Amino acid sequence: MDRVAVTEAAASLVRDLTAQHGPLMFHQSGGCCDGSSPMCYPIGMFITGPGDVLLGELDVGLERAVEVYMSGSQFEYWKYTHLTIDVVPGRGAGFSVEGPTGMRFLIRSRMLDDAELEHFGLTPTA
């Protein structure tokens, strides 16, 4: 089971951006400056820290999976949700590589189901 997924439209944009920028990663900070949007960076342009949580890896049809991270403080709010990275028309954040494309990445979320809650150790113990 995964905590994060990607739509085909977003995966297609990631493939195009990888051809331009090399391998990519996502980070969801929850801070200001489009903090509610997943930021997409070439690997090495954003350094994760010990407080960041690896949510998972996205298979977008490339040789290398795309890692998705979230700040630990943001993860505390989102740990009961499954996240899907999608893309819509609009201006992305200035720091995220999709900015000039006329598209922007966004997060769609849903609550984890009972099986997922159990899998991730989030069910109450008696």
Side-chain angles (χ1 to χ4, degrees):
M1 279 184 207
D2 297 316
R3 286 187 174 277
V4 64
V6 62
T7 65
E8 180 49 42
S12 177
L13 182 55
V14 169
R15 289 189 295 271
D16 292 346
L17 292 169
T18 297
Q20 291 179 301
H21 301 283
L24 302 171
M25 51 98 51
F26 282 98
H27 188 271
Q28 177 83 34
S29 71
C32 68
C33 305
D34 267 342
S36 60
S37 298
M39 304 291 274
C40 185
Y41 302 101
I43 291 180
M45 293 294 289
F46 182 90
I47 306 301
T48 58
D52 290 309
V53 176
L54 176 62
L55 297 178
E57 296 181 344
L58 304 174
D59 180 358
V60 297
L62 297 169
E63 184 175 316
R64 180 180 180 152
V66 177
E67 293 179 334
V68 180
Y69 291 88
M70 180 178 278
S71 68
S73 59
Q74 185 74 1
F75 179 72
E76 284 304 308
Y77 293 110
W78 290 63
K79 67 183 173 184
Y80 296 99
T81 60
H82 179 275
L83 306 176
T84 300
I85 295 177
D86 200 357
V87 66
V88 294
R91 175 115 167 80
F95 301 115
S96 193
V97 295
E98 84 281 5
T101 69
M103 302 297 283
R104 68 180 184 92
F105 291 112
L106 63 85
I107 291 286
R108 298 191 189 276
S109 64
R110 65 166 173 79
M111 297 304 292
L112 295 173
D113 64 29
D114 290 342
E116 291 167 323
L117 289 168
E118 185 174 344
H119 176 79
F120 295 119
L122 296 172
T123 54
T125 55

